[in-house]
Amino acid sequence: MTAAIFGLVGVIVGGVLNGVVGWLVARGQARSSTRAIARLAYDDFLHHQSTLVRALDAGCWWDGADLLGEQVCTEDWKLLLGELGDEPSQEVASARGWMAYLISRWRAAVPDPAQAQLALPLASRTLAPQDSQLMRDTFARMDRARRQLSGKVSGRKFSSFKDGGTLATLEPPRTLEELGIDAESCRLRRKADYGRPSP
């Protein structure tokens, strides 16, 4: 009888331990996936910021070749945003959403040269003032979103955009201050809620 009780207790304890170990392994895999997705999203935002910097420098919409495709798919975005806290998820989703909106404006403003059978003249791609400001605001949102994706979420240290190589490739080289997207300008735009009127 005692042996049967010990056997039963052993089965129960083994089942509980097996369940706990399985849960810990699944949780570790989810964290690892989230970390990898956060790193890719961080890179996507850097690529988009480079596209915006080149467009602001030229004063016109970017060429199709300047816009790199996203590495993060919709399902991965759902997983990442679900793992982030309220404020970080809002800031990351906002940055991604505004860049998607800018891409749709670009597609509407610049017809596909392949369909037109001609290269578009630069004048037809000139930015309207509101598009330039929207690009600056989106750059600022992406900078904030990259900060939210750094640290514990991705295991990646935040780096300023100016530490990258994009600015040095502009002809002539320019600074973020000259383009109106330096850290202080971005902070002031965030503080002003990107120009939205107060309620």
Side-chain angles (χ1 to χ4, degrees):
M1 176 91 170
T2 307
I5 291 174
F6 281 127
L8 179 62
V9 169
V11 169
I12 291 171
V13 169
V16 169
L17 283 176
N18 190 31
V20 169
V21 168
W23 177 79
L24 288 173
V25 167
R27 185 176 162 110
Q29 288 173 338
R31 280 190 180 159
S32 178
S33 294
T34 303
R35 178 172 282 213
I37 295 165
R39 288 179 178 188
L40 291 174
Y42 185 100
D43 286 343
D44 282 345
F45 285 163
L46 269 177
H47 297 157
H48 287 323
Q49 284 182 299
S50 293
T51 299
L52 296 176
V53 163
R54 291 182 189 289
L56 287 167
D57 175 58
C60 64
W61 288 102
W62 55 79
D63 288 323
D66 291 336
L67 184 67
L68 298 178
E70 283 189 338
Q71 302 171 90
V72 179
C73 69
T74 303
E75 291 306 312
D76 287 345
W77 273 113
K78 290 177 184 177
L79 177 62
L80 176 61
L81 293 175
E83 289 291 320
L84 294 174
D86 182 43
E87 184 180 339
S89 67
Q90 286 186 44
E91 290 185 344
V92 169
S94 175
R96 182 173 182 253
W98 280 104
M99 188 63 197
Y101 176 68
L102 265 176
I103 291 170
S104 70
R105 290 200 41 89
W106 163 67
R107 287 189 176 124
V110 183
D112 183 357
Q115 292 176 353
Q117 304 284 324
L118 299 167
L120 292 169
L122 191 61
S124 71
R125 295 178 18 220
T126 301
L127 289 172
Q130 65 269 25
D131 291 323
S132 294
Q133 187 58 59
L134 184 56
M135 284 186 183
R136 287 184 185 92
D137 289 349
T138 302
F139 181 95
R141 286 180 171 103
M142 289 193 164
D143 228 40
R144 185 70 183 153
R146 281 194 309 108
R147 191 170 292 283
Q148 295 289 12
L149 291 171
S150 63
K152 184 178 174 185
V153 177
S154 66
R156 176 172 285 176
K157 182 180 173 186
F158 176 80
S159 62
S160 171
F161 184 84
K162 68 181 179 182
D163 295 336
T166 301
L167 293 169
T169 65
L170 302 178
E171 284 294 330
R174 300 196 50 200
T175 65
L176 293 178
E177 289 80 8
E178 291 172 314
L179 296 171
I181 50 176
D182 56 286
E184 182 60 13
S185 297
C186 290
R187 186 189 69 76
L188 291 173
R189 285 299 287 173
R190 277 194 304 274
K191 187 176 178 182
D193 202 16
Y194 301 102
R196 280 183 256 181
S198 300

